[in-house]
Amino acid sequence: MTRIVLLVYFVLVTGFLLLPLIFLLPISLTNSQFLEFPPKSLSLRWYREFFIDQSWVDATLVSLKIGFGATAISLLLGTLASVALVRSNFRLKGILTAIFIAPLIIPSVVIALALYIVFLRWRLVNNIYALTIAHAMIAMPYVVMIITGSLRRFDMTIERAARILGATPVRAFIHTTLPFLTPALFASGILAFFASFDELIITLFISGGLQTLPVRIWNDLSLKLDPTVPAVAVMLTLVSILGMTVGEIARRRNERRYQSNPISEA
Amino acid sequence: MKIRWSRTILLLTPATLLAAMLFVYPVFGVLSLTVHDGTSFTGEPIRQVFNSQLSIIVLQRTFVTAATVTLICLLMGYPMAYFMAGLSPRKRVLATYLILLPFWISVLIRTYTWIILLGREGILNKALVAIGLTAEPIQLLYTPFAVHIGMVQILLPIVILTCLTSILDVERDLVKAARILGATPAQAFWKVLFPLSVSGAATGGIICFILCLGFFVTPTLLGGRTSLLIANLIDLQVHKTLKWDLAAVMASAMLAATFTCLLAYWMLTRKRAEFATGGLAR
């Protein structure tokens, strides 16, 4: 009896959580000037509108550029730092790890205000490179968390064997540890990319006139309810679900591969 | 394998520089703005905030909203987690995917959908009128109600998952022992499982509370003028009234609250490992 009540409750709450997803698609397919549900006639009009409107296309390109740049920077710096955090012992390790991960926990608006003040002083507001680096800082916690986790599970004997066989430290790392880390790099890269791609508050403060996709949506929302937004939302959702699924598959494949690897059990 | 000192420093320098220049230094800048006006120490900004009715109301409202949303999430989330803990592992994974699905949509878009659902001409109002509960569409959007719904929808998955972990962490044998010793299922739940998992659920609540404090998008889009939270006020003070020092005081208050919560979190998790197993530490 209790199980049935709980099951009904589970379905209801899950429905509540998925509510936006369920309604977004039909709303985005409307043919009318206004948001309506149910739509009177179906069309891809607002999807077309997105690709015709230069400001939407530009915003998407800016977001992609910043997203890829921030992902690359955070992956590189985050991975290097993770190697040091896992493989060496020093007194400030705890504090340093906390600092690397803190941007994830500190409310974005605090970071936004802080960055805005220093960026104004350094004349970096409205600068796409500065924005990219700021996004890299926001994305780095994901990289550090995932890569340190993965590195701790790596069997160091493999890299040691490569060193004993005469490889330089860098060469040994590239040929043994890096292949092991690839799925983790991929997964953290996806998270880092979306951390940047979805970031709104910090971008609103320091972007000046520069419009990323979330800022473009935000500016649209404060003016009117434009039916292009649901269309963009559906496309974004599909892209992120796709990205996360690919990341998850990569993670699992790796888990299986290294579990059945006889060397690591030695 | 330990690596050499010089190499450690080389590996850490780029990331540390990034964090130092774009995180530590700016955040300390904000903290110092609250007590220092550029030339000398001053208590003026803090005094101004305490004398401003608006700031006090917004601060209060933020904490009350955060507490309410956290409470709702815990009350809604714990039974969800309890149900999921009873599923077979395969079904549990599926349920977890369902719960996490909305997580992959940006907060901006999830909030946006509520505008459509809750508006005067929105789906909910149409449904209410159709059933005959109300004759006229009622005002749902731009009320505290809408803000709470939006925030709960965003934060609930996190709370469900932390509750789930804490329930799964409880040693199953303890519940079994209680049943063997004659406890009814309800007694076994209230006297064993619930007390042992509640501290884990509390950590989920703390995370939820911290995240609530920083909400910006939801109160702006779904709330009216009477739903502004700290983040909105900081935005206004920076972009409209240009009172950076006041914004800095608000931001520091947020930081202080966050750190207090993190401290509580740390103390809870430190004790938890031995607690959840009821002394049967492995």
Side-chain angles (χ1 to χ4, degrees):
Chain A
M1 186 57 208
T2 333
R3 290 306 293 172
I4 296 170
V5 175
L6 277 173
L7 177 68
V8 173
Y9 176 74
F10 177 82
V11 172
L12 283 178
V13 174
T14 311
F16 165 69
L17 286 175
L18 296 178
L19 209 58
L21 264 172
I22 298 164
F23 285 106
L24 209 50
L25 185 66
I27 289 170
S28 74
L29 291 172
T30 184
N31 193 18
S32 100
Q33 277 289 348
F34 312 100
L35 292 168
E36 53 177 21
F37 184 89
K40 291 192 183 68
S41 59
L42 298 179
S43 87
L44 289 173
R45 172 180 175 190
W46 296 105
Y47 288 82
R48 193 170 56 238
E49 208 74 15
F50 168 82
F51 289 103
I52 293 172
D53 189 334
Q54 195 58 39
S55 71
W56 280 109
V57 175
D58 285 344
T60 312
L61 290 178
V62 168
S63 265
L64 285 173
K65 265 186 223 163
I66 294 175
F68 283 120
T71 308
I73 297 171
S74 64
L75 271 181
L76 181 66
L77 304 195
T79 308
L80 293 180
S82 301
V83 172
L85 288 176
V86 172
R87 294 190 178 172
S88 87
N89 257 321
F90 49 96
R91 199 176 299 163
L92 294 175
K93 195 157 116 176
I95 295 176
L96 212 52
T97 315
I99 288 175
F100 288 150
I101 293 178
L104 198 62
I105 304 156
I106 307 279
S108 318
V109 73
V110 175
I111 302 178
L113 171 68
L115 278 179
Y116 182 61
I117 292 172
V118 292
F119 273 23
L120 273 181
R121 198 181 314 143
W122 295 339
R123 295 181 190 284
L124 286 177
V125 172
N126 203 355
N127 179 324
I128 190 168
Y129 300 106
L131 192 55
T132 307
I133 294 174
H135 276 200
M137 185 266 292
I138 299 303
M140 210 165 60
Y142 295 99
V143 179
V144 171
M145 285 197 305
I146 293 180
I147 301 293
T148 51
S150 186
L151 267 178
R152 283 205 186 91
R153 272 181 277 118
F154 179 65
D155 183 3
M156 275 306 296
T157 47
I158 302 174
E159 189 172 326
R160 220 172 278 147
R163 288 293 308 281
I164 292 167
L165 292 170
T168 61
V170 174
R171 216 175 120 89
F173 180 82
I174 289 175
H175 286 276
T176 60
T177 312
L178 207 57
F180 171 81
L181 282 183
T182 311
L185 284 170
F186 197 72
S188 51
I190 287 173
L191 281 176
F193 180 80
F194 282 110
S196 155
F197 202 68
D198 275 347
E199 160 49 46
L200 172 71
I201 303 174
I202 294 171
T203 318
L204 269 181
F205 270 71
I206 60 173
S207 65
L210 218 56
Q211 272 196 340
T212 62
L213 201 48
V215 172
R216 176 73 180 77
I217 296 175
W218 180 257
N219 289 340
D220 223 59
L221 288 184
S222 27
L223 293 176
K224 59 186 187 314
L225 288 180
D226 178 348
T228 322
V229 176
V232 179
V234 169
M235 289 189 277
L236 279 180
T237 306
L238 287 179
V239 169
S240 47
I241 290 183
L242 189 76
M244 295 294 176
T245 312
V246 171
E248 180 67 17
I249 291 171
R251 193 184 64 81
R252 290 199 174 178
R253 179 166 296 172
N254 183 55
E255 232 166 46
R256 229 173 300 140
R257 191 171 119 214
Y258 278 88
Q259 260 164 16
S260 57
N261 188 345
I263 302 174
S264 57
E265 279 156 24
Chain B
M1 180 161 62
K2 295 289 165 253
I3 45 178
R4 252 178 274 142
W5 252 109
S6 53
R7 211 162 279 152
T8 306
I9 291 171
L10 211 62
L11 287 169
L12 281 173
T13 307
T16 311
L17 268 180
L18 181 70
M21 300 249 299
L22 295 190
F23 179 67
V24 180
Y25 173 71
V27 169
F28 272 98
V30 166
L31 289 176
S32 76
L33 255 185
T34 61
V35 289
H36 199 275
D37 62 5
T39 45
S40 63
F41 283 98
T42 161
E44 197 49 41
I46 295 179
R47 200 172 309 129
Q48 278 193 34
V49 166
F50 273 101
N51 287 333
S52 140
Q53 191 121 35
L54 179 69
S55 309
I56 297 295
I57 290 176
V58 170
L59 273 171
Q60 245 171 16
R61 183 189 297 141
T62 307
F63 284 104
V64 171
T65 307
T68 322
V69 169
T70 306
L71 195 67
I72 297 174
C73 281
L74 282 172
L75 289 178
M76 283 178 78
Y78 192 89
M80 286 288 279
Y82 180 73
F83 173 76
M84 287 165 73
L87 293 172
S88 68
R90 184 180 285 268
K91 281 189 190 155
R92 196 187 304 136
V93 169
L94 195 73
T96 312
Y97 268 97
L98 274 179
I99 301 292
L100 281 181
L101 205 59
F103 229 67
W104 298 344
I105 315 168
S106 87
V107 170
L108 188 56
I109 285 161
R110 276 190 274 168
T111 308
Y112 170 78
T113 355
W114 286 113
I115 301 181
I116 307 172
L117 294 177
L118 297 176
R120 270 191 92 75
E121 301 288 307
I123 297 149
L124 201 69
N125 258 323
K126 275 187 188 162
L128 284 178
V129 173
I131 311 170
L133 271 176
T134 54
E136 291 273 294
I138 46 172
Q139 181 74 39
L140 296 168
L141 198 59
Y142 310 127
T143 62
F145 169 74
V147 178
H148 281 80
I149 282 203
M151 288 173 79
V152 168
Q153 202 264 348
I154 290 165
L155 294 165
L156 189 56
I158 303 176
V159 177
I160 293 178
L161 289 185
T162 38
C163 285
L164 179 64
T165 331
S166 72
I167 293 176
L168 290 175
D169 271 353
V170 173
E171 194 72 57
R172 286 281 129 168
D173 292 344
L174 290 174
V175 181
K176 250 185 242 163
R179 295 277 288 134
I180 292 168
L181 292 172
T184 63
Q187 279 175 324
F189 174 77
W190 287 112
K191 298 216 159 154
V192 181
L193 187 66
F194 184 73
L196 288 178
S197 59
V198 77
S199 75
T203 57
I206 293 174
I207 297 176
C208 178
F209 187 84
I210 295 178
L211 292 174
C212 278
L213 292 179
F215 261 61
F216 174 77
V217 173
T218 314
T220 317
L221 291 181
L222 300 184
R225 285 195 167 277
T226 52
S227 303
L228 291 181
L229 299 186
I230 298 184
N232 306 107
L233 193 58
I234 292 177
D235 178 48
L236 282 179
Q237 277 162 342
V238 170
H239 289 118
K240 297 273 149 60
T241 56
L242 302 178
K243 288 182 175 159
W244 291 7
D245 46 350
L246 297 193
V249 175
M250 300 301 256
S252 305
M254 248 164 129
L255 268 181
T258 306
F259 276 113
T260 315
C261 292
L262 282 177
L263 196 68
Y265 178 87
W266 178 71
M267 292 201 298
L268 264 175
T269 45
R270 209 173 41 136
K271 287 274 172 214
R272 238 182 71 71
E274 44 188 307
F275 186 65
T277 52
L280 294 176
R282 275 159 286 188

